[in-house]
Amino acid sequence: MEIIVTDENDERFIEFCKSFGCSVEGPQIALLLNNYKKTVGCASFKAYDSKSAEITTLFLNSYDNREKISYKLIRQLEKIAMDYEFKSVVVNFDSREDILVEIFEKLDYQFVDELLMKKEFKSLI
């Protein structure tokens, strides 16, 4: 599998998001996960505020290895967010019953209010 770093203008990203009924708004860093040249997943983030990035999409085309693929995409987004010098990443949910809540909890995200989870990056200094 190959991760491609792109942006919100990439037609592959736009089409993949549309297949899940999602529209893309605002400048975003996007990841496409390809398997044999076919997109099987995508994830993206945009600036939430001056110190935080917000994960805005995480879609997977397959139930196989869903958790492993999600971890891979989220970890890559976190690395890129750190490269952009963000101090944390947030993710909003429509409900605490969202199937992704458990995955984010395993990756050390914590609820900071009813539907917002956050992960602070630890400083190496």
Side-chain angles (χ1 to χ4, degrees), residues 43-87:
S44 67
F45 75 79
K46 64 182 179 180
Y48 180 73
D49 58 31
S50 63
K51 295 181 181 180
S52 301
E54 177 184 16
I55 295 176
T56 54
T57 60
L58 179 60
F59 298 123
L60 304 174
N61 229 5
S62 169
Y63 288 100
D64 299 335
N65 299 318
R66 178 175 286 271
E67 197 167 295
K68 181 180 174 185
I69 292 170
S70 296
Y71 291 155
K72 185 177 201 144
L73 288 169
I74 294 165
R75 291 282 192 212
Q76 188 64 39
L77 283 178
E78 290 173 353
K79 287 177 187 175
I80 295 169
M82 284 187 264
D83 288 345
Y84 277 85
E85 298 184 2
F86 286 111
K87 305 297 182 208

Side-chain angles (χ1 to χ4, degrees), residues 9 14 35 38 50 59 63 66-67 79 95 104 114 116 119:
N9 296 315
I14 294 167
N35 192 16
K38 180 181 178 198
S50 63
F59 298 123
Y63 288 100
R66 178 175 286 271
E67 197 167 295
K79 287 177 187 175
S95 159
F104 280 96
E114 186 59 31
L116 181 74
K119 180 177 183 177

Side-chain angles (χ1 to χ4, degrees), residues 95-112:
S95 159
R96 281 199 182 221
E97 305 303 314
D98 191 299
I99 60 173
L100 293 173
V101 167
E102 186 177 322
I103 289 171
F104 280 96
E105 286 176 331
K106 287 180 181 178
L107 292 170
D108 299 323
Y109 285 75
Q110 297 179 0
F111 277 102
V112 293

